[in-house]
Amino acid sequence: EPTPMVLSGRCEADSSRRSSKAELARRRKNCECASENRHGVDEKMGSKSVENMKSNAVFARSGEQEVPMYLHPSSVFVNPGRLMQGVVITVLAFALFKPDLVIFLMAHSLLTLAESYSNGYIYVTIFWMVLWGLYGFFTYSGRPAVDGSRRWKTFISAANWVYDQVFVPYFSLSVVRDSEEELDPNEKYIFGYHPHGIIPMACQWTTLTTKWQEKFPGVQPAVLTSSIVHNIPLMRDLAQWMGGFEVSRTGFLNALEMRKSVLLVPGGQAEMIGSRSDTNKAKIVTSHRGFIRIALRTGANLVPVYSFGEMQSFDNAPFPDSWQRWCVRKFRANLLTFPYGVAPLFPRPQRFTLAVGKPIRVPKTANPTEELVNYYHRQYFMALRETFEKNKTFAGRSKDRILFIPSLLPLGDETKGQSYPHSAISPLSPSTPSNTSPSRPRRRRAPLNETILIYTLVSLLFLAALCLKLVGGYFF
């Protein structure tokens, strides 16, 4: 028969077991309560942030879920679907931004096929010259870069599907509109896209996605690019098939007249030099005023656009900045560009948030004065800063800031205390004489014949491939 001491020990053991079970149940209950409270706090904070954002902007889609601000590059190789999306984007980027390598590979492949035949190299050389002669005759005739005659609706429809199925999920695209009212498709708009980044890739495809069309129905801006883009094979074909124009004055005005709205990158390639993904400072070049003058002459509304994530998708190979600036001055293009992300021309899966600011009403003025141009130039970049500050937290870039180069002057220093309303009747309208001295005319360089340059480069690429075959080398 157990003694009282043994009974006491058994009672204590049973009591400890019961207390441990009760403690375990209590802990589980506390974890569940904490999880519910945390979930409730997240919902409350989410609803609060959504309400705050709704007061400033309109979402691209109601009930949109939060997505990671940045995915590590290794996540591309773990997710097969994302990997395939990245491969498709890389192939398109390779054809669009490195056509010289594509042309070299074409020449090398043709020579490889012909080396087993007698006089095969001679036949391939003749075929090469005839091929590019026919290409130039059928695609360079007329002025497709300024009249949009090569716009291909079937190609645009196919590209729209590819962008929705590949680009949008890969970059987790979000479109935010600051204006509560929809833009009138019958009015003219000049969308300024910032920043340029290494490759302003998002400006080429975001306006062709369903998310853009949901936010801006009937507004399909024509993308304006450098004139050299419209002379390089493959690059020019893709740009013109999608309805692009060159950013010359004639192309600008024709695009506004035909398409009612345009999209351009005012910073140009000056913003590309020095662009880095590991910095939170976005350099915005403010020296260009040509698009402001055209907006005043045509009465088009100015709309600032900031693309969060553009700078983080690519970096450039470490070429010296001085060499890149020399290329821009001599060839009007930065030839020292080799973008890389996860891999060469393989972008990082960075979240893109396209923040579209409120339209700035611009009076139609036949001969705008420099004061009026400077006034709306400052208004535009101040609106860009406002759009940036308003949406950077939602875009996951709360620590980012923009630097204007050169910096904007205070309004008082620039206009000597005068104020100009957003209306057709302005103190500086053409009927009012200007007190400023006439500006010094810009010194223009002799125009570069890009067609001759491109055909020279195509011939040199073929010659390089031919020399490589003759000396017995192999590309792979």
Side-chain angles (χ1 to χ4, degrees), residues 96-100 196 198 225-232 235 247 268-273 316 319-338 445 448 450 453-454 457:
L96 184 59
F97 298 105
K98 284 298 173 183
D100 51 342
H196 186 285
I198 301 300
T225 53
S226 174
S227 59
I228 197 170
V229 172
H230 293 267
N231 285 276
I232 299 178
M235 183 183 292
V247 75
Q269 300 194 41
E271 285 183 0
M272 177 178 65
I273 300 174
N316 192 20
F319 297 109
D321 291 352
S322 59
W323 295 7
Q324 298 182 55
R325 294 190 184 95
W326 182 85
C327 287
V328 172
R329 288 196 303 268
K330 295 297 182 181
F331 304 106
R332 290 182 286 182
N334 188 0
L335 302 181
L336 299 178
T337 305
F338 197 85
R445 298 191 304 267
L448 177 66
E450 285 98 349
L453 174 64
I454 296 307
L457 291 177

Side-chain angles (χ1 to χ4, degrees), residues 127-195:
F127 172 77
W128 186 264
M129 301 304 294
V130 172
L131 173 66
W132 289 105
L134 293 175
Y135 173 83
F137 177 78
F138 286 106
T139 64
Y140 283 85
S141 58
R143 306 186 66 189
V146 298
D147 60 15
S149 57
R150 296 188 70 199
R151 186 171 184 262
W152 190 359
K153 294 184 179 180
T154 304
F155 182 83
I156 293 175
S157 300
N160 191 355
W161 184 88
V162 172
Y163 295 150
D164 283 339
Q165 301 299 322
V166 178
F167 284 70
V168 170
Y170 185 83
F171 292 107
S172 303
L173 175 67
S174 298
V175 179
V176 180
R177 189 186 72 209
D178 283 349
S179 176
E180 296 181 359
E181 299 180 357
E182 294 184 353
L183 302 187
D184 185 0
N186 296 320
E187 293 188 15
K188 295 180 180 179
Y189 300 96
I190 298 177
F191 294 88
Y193 183 92
H194 307 268

Side-chain angles (χ1 to χ4, degrees), residues 313-452:
S313 59
F314 279 114
D315 281 299
N316 192 20
F319 297 109
D321 291 352
S322 59
W323 295 7
Q324 298 182 55
R325 294 190 184 95
W326 182 85
C327 287
V328 172
R329 288 196 303 268
K330 295 297 182 181
F331 304 106
R332 290 182 286 182
N334 188 0
L335 302 181
L336 299 178
T337 305
F338 197 85
Y340 68 92
V342 179
L345 288 172
F346 198 125
R348 301 183 183 94
Q350 175 67 38
R351 176 189 176 183
F352 276 8
T353 301
L354 199 68
V356 184
K358 297 179 180 178
I360 301 173
R361 306 296 177 183
V362 177
K364 187 174 182 179
T365 310
N367 298 304
T369 61
E370 286 300 316
E371 293 94 334
L372 195 60
V373 171
N374 292 337
Y375 173 78
Y376 282 101
H377 175 267
R378 188 179 188 279
Q379 291 293 104
Y380 171 83
F381 282 102
M382 293 302 294
L384 175 65
R385 183 191 293 276
E386 180 183 356
T387 301
F388 172 85
E389 296 294 339
K390 185 183 295 183
N391 296 285
K392 68 178 183 179
T393 301
F394 170 73
R397 310 292 306 181
S398 58
K399 296 182 179 180
D400 287 7
R401 60 194 185 100
I402 56 178
L403 301 176
F404 290 144
I405 301 175
S407 59
L408 301 177
L409 296 175
L411 188 60
D413 294 345
E414 194 173 287
T415 60
K416 300 181 180 181
Q418 301 184 58
S419 60
Y420 310 126
H422 295 255
S423 62
I425 302 176
S426 170
L428 292 177
S429 59
S431 59
T432 305
S434 173
N435 294 327
T436 60
S437 57
S439 59
R440 185 177 59 184
R442 297 177 59 184
R443 185 174 57 185
R444 299 182 180 273
R445 298 191 304 267
L448 177 66
N449 193 325
E450 285 98 349
T451 304
I452 297 178

Side-chain angles (χ1 to χ4, degrees), residues 81-149:
R82 190 176 292 274
L83 177 60
M84 290 303 299
Q85 293 168 355
V87 170
V88 173
I89 294 172
T90 302
V91 171
L92 294 176
F94 190 81
L96 184 59
F97 298 105
K98 284 298 173 183
D100 51 342
L101 296 181
V102 176
I103 295 172
F104 179 84
L105 289 175
M106 290 172 55
H108 190 276
S109 300
L110 289 174
L111 291 171
T112 302
L113 293 174
E115 63 183 357
S116 59
Y117 299 95
S118 59
N119 298 326
Y121 287 169
I122 297 177
Y123 296 144
V124 169
T125 302
I126 296 173
F127 172 77
W128 186 264
M129 301 304 294
V130 172
L131 173 66
W132 289 105
L134 293 175
Y135 173 83
F137 177 78
F138 286 106
T139 64
Y140 283 85
S141 58
R143 306 186 66 189
V146 298
D147 60 15
S149 57

Side-chain angles (χ1 to χ4, degrees), residues 104 107-108 111 121-122 125 460-472:
F104 179 84
H108 190 276
L111 291 171
Y121 287 169
I122 297 177
T125 302
L460 290 176
L461 289 172
F462 182 82
L463 183 61
L466 180 60
C467 292
L468 188 63
K469 298 297 294 184
L470 291 176
V471 298

Side-chain angles (χ1 to χ4, degrees), residues 22-37:
E23 180 67 19
L24 182 60
R26 187 178 63 82
R27 290 180 179 179
R28 287 179 177 175
K29 186 176 181 179
N30 290 340
C31 290
E32 292 176 357
C33 293
S35 177
E36 291 178 358
N37 291 336

